[in-house]
């Protein structure tokens, strides 16, 4: 993530309902196969986390967080990106293999999406000792390590429908969806560092024009794939009649320029955020966006109708990260009109321990 986007700390938890219904060829096939009626009417919980472990202290705290999640009753978890701090060494192969082992130490399924510190920043954004890698090669490597099949990671896995199964989108294995009870879950590769849309002299950018142009082309292609996946997923959610959609990506999208950034620091979200709003408004049920990046726990409703009033059926949750190695629990309760409830899960041993 950008240095300018580094946040503080905080809380949150989420709510969920259902029976494990993962898509192989389609979300509907999965829902039909696994729905036993229990999930439709009973609450369940999931875990949300990301931006960790950061630094030596974070690597000590991280196993405690995984142990805490393993002791909970969550059905699965979602990791919203960033395997390390931007300045915490290079993006060597060992970063991904070590992270893979940590994810697979979780007893339950875990769905993982990339973070900017895992690939877009691997050229050396954070100075000496943090570069030496081609960002696009690192993303391809991450895809091979974390997404070799249609299964999630974790000690027990679940089947996911990957965008790579669609003609023309073969490379986008990280974009997935699945249905669990009354909710469709969707992941997108939307990144901090302006979603890999660089501008000369902005946010530490020192690469030549040719490299900036290459990254810009990657951003535009991936942005089109993200918009397609988001639109298609909401259409499928409406067709299935689910009650809610939970979208996860890595970047803090800087709703309403709450970060008070310059346009060139967040114009990489100029297409995906309006598309998200469009889909949220057209969907009859509840929607939530989960992201990391700024390391500041947030729970709010940042979208507005054209008349300036809050979009009541949309909730944004930002997970913990950096120096706060905690997670967020989401509860999905089909009997609750809000459907989603988010609560912070503080790992006691990781409080004031540095």
């Amino acid at each position: 993530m950008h240095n300018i986007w580094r946040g503080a700390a905080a809380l949150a938890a989420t709510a969920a309902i259902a029976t494990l219904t993962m898509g192989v060829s389609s979300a509907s096939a999965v829902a039909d196969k696994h729905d036993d009626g229990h999930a439709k009417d009973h609450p369940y919980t999931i875990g949300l986390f990301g931006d960790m472990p950061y630094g030596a202290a974070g690597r000590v705290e991280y196993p405690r967080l995984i142990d805490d999640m393993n002791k909970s009753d969550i059905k699965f978890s979602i990791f919203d990106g960033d395997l390390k701090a931007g300045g915490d060494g290079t993006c060597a192969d060992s970063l991904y293999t070590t992270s893979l082992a940590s994810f697979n130490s979780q007893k339950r399924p875990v769905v993982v999406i990339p973070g900017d510190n895992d690939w877009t920043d691997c050229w050396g954004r954070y100075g000496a000792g943090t570069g030496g890698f081609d960002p696009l090669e690192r993303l391809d490597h991450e895809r091979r390590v974390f997404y070799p099949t249609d299964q999630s990671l974790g000690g027990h896995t679940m089947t996911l429908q990957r965008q790579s199964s669609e003609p023309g989108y073969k490379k986008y294995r990280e974009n997935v969806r699945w249905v669990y009870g009354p909710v469709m879950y969707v992941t997108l590769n939307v990144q901090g560092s302006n979603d890999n849309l660089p501008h000369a002299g902005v946010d530490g950018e020192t690469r030549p024009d040719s490299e900036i142009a290459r990254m810009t082309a990657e951003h535009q292609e991936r942005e089109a794939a993200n918009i397609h996946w988001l639109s298609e997923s909401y259409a499928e959610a409406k067709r299935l009649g689910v009650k809610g959609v939970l979208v996860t990506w890595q970047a803090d999208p800087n709703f309403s320029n709450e970060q008070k950034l310059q346009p060139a620091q967040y114009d990489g979200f100029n297409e995906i955020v309006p598309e998200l709003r469009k889909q949220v408004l057209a969907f009859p049920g509840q929607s939530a966006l989960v992201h990391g990046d700024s390391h500041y726990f947030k729970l709010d409703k940042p979208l507005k109708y054209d008349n300036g009033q809050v979009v009541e059926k949309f909730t944004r949750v930002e997970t913990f990260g950096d120096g706060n190695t905690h997670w967020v629990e989401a509860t999905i309760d089909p009997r609750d009109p809000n459907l989603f409830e988010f609560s912070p899960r503080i790992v006691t041993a990781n409080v004031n321990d540095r």
Side-chain angles (χ1 to χ4, degrees):
M1 62 165 282
H2 299 53
N3 283 334
I4 193 169
W5 283 15
R6 300 226 176 255
L11 359 76
T14 61
I17 285 185
T19 304
L20 192 60
T21 62
M22 313 304 157
V24 181
S25 59
S26 75
S28 56
V30 176
D32 294 343
K33 180 178 179 181
H34 293 280
D35 183 9
D36 63 1
H38 183 276
K40 290 182 178 179
D41 303 317
H42 293 76
Y44 66 87
T45 60
I46 65 172
L48 307 170
F49 68 122
D51 294 290
M52 60 184 68
Y54 272 36
R59 288 190 288 274
V60 171
E61 295 168 342
Y62 194 44
R64 301 172 188 159
L65 177 139
I66 292 175
D67 181 62
D68 194 63
M69 296 180 77
N70 279 337
K71 290 177 179 177
S72 73
D73 62 355
I74 58 175
K75 301 302 182 184
F76 57 85
S77 64
I78 305 173
F79 181 86
D80 58 17
D82 267 10
L83 306 174
K84 69 175 185 70
D88 195 14
T90 69
C91 299
D93 287 359
S94 58
L95 169 67
Y96 309 95
T97 54
T98 299
S99 298
L100 178 65
S102 294
F103 292 133
N104 284 335
S105 70
Q106 292 205 22
K107 294 179 180 179
R108 302 174 187 87
V110 54
V111 177
V112 175
I113 61 175
D116 57 350
N117 293 349
D118 313 342
W119 67 281
T120 72
D121 300 337
C122 294
W123 61 272
R125 180 185 305 279
Y126 293 99
T130 70
F133 289 91
D134 174 6
L136 305 193
E137 184 279 328
R138 287 292 82 181
L139 176 56
D140 286 342
H141 179 75
E142 190 166 16
R143 287 165 169 158
R144 290 193 298 271
V145 172
F146 292 153
Y147 320 121
T149 70
D150 63 356
Q151 297 298 298
S152 70
L153 301 179
H156 289 88
T157 66
M158 62 186 180
T159 304
L160 309 169
Q161 183 181 3
R162 297 195 182 278
Q163 188 176 20
S164 55
S165 65
E166 296 189 0
Y169 298 97
K170 184 177 181 180
K171 69 173 67 173
Y172 298 103
R173 299 192 56 77
E174 64 274 24
N175 287 355
V176 301
R177 64 174 173 245
W178 69 102
V179 175
Y180 195 102
V183 174
M184 174 175 283
Y185 297 87
V186 182
T187 70
L188 298 172
N189 187 347
V190 179
Q191 299 297 297
S193 298
N194 202 30
D195 198 31
N196 201 34
L197 180 61
H199 301 285
V202 176
D203 197 25
E205 185 56 64
T206 59
R207 290 174 289 181
D209 291 345
S210 59
E211 189 65 3
I212 290 176
R214 189 169 75 102
M215 295 302 112
T216 298
E218 186 283 331
H219 160 79
Q220 292 171 342
E221 180 185 13
R222 179 170 41 80
E223 180 179 61
N226 284 332
I227 288 174
H228 171 78
W229 189 241
L230 183 64
S231 174
E232 182 183 83
S233 296
Y234 264 97
E236 180 71 352
K238 283 189 276 189
R239 191 187 72 79
L240 291 174
V242 298
K243 293 185 176 181
V245 176
L246 187 147
V247 178
T248 304
W249 67 48
Q250 191 259 336
D252 183 337
N254 193 34
F255 289 112
S256 303
N257 196 15
E258 62 193 6
Q259 304 271 350
K260 295 182 170 51
L261 304 179
Q262 297 302 310
Q265 293 176 301
Y266 69 103
D267 59 351
F269 311 117
N270 284 352
E271 299 295 331
I272 192 65
V273 170
E275 181 64 25
L276 175 65
R277 180 180 181 273
K278 171 186 171 183
Q279 297 301 331
V280 167
L281 293 182
F283 182 66
Q286 294 285 327
S287 293
L289 173 68
V290 175
H291 69 80
D293 192 24
S294 296
H295 312 159
Y296 186 89
F297 172 80
K298 294 190 189 83
L299 178 61
D300 65 0
K301 291 185 174 292
L303 292 185
K304 296 180 180 180
Y305 291 106
D306 292 342
N307 63 9
Q309 291 182 314
V310 66
V311 176
E312 81 294 347
K313 60 182 179 177
F314 175 79
T315 302
R316 180 263 294 275
V317 181
E318 181 175 336
T319 56
F320 292 101
D322 193 2
N324 296 282
T325 312
H326 310 297
W327 58 286
V328 174
E329 184 179 71
T331 300
I332 291 76
D333 187 345
R335 303 163 300 185
D336 183 346
N338 294 319
L339 186 61
F340 299 107
E341 180 180 331
F342 300 92
S343 306
R345 286 292 296 261
I346 304 299
V347 181
T348 303
N350 295 342
V351 176
N352 198 28
D353 64 328
R354 300 192 178 198

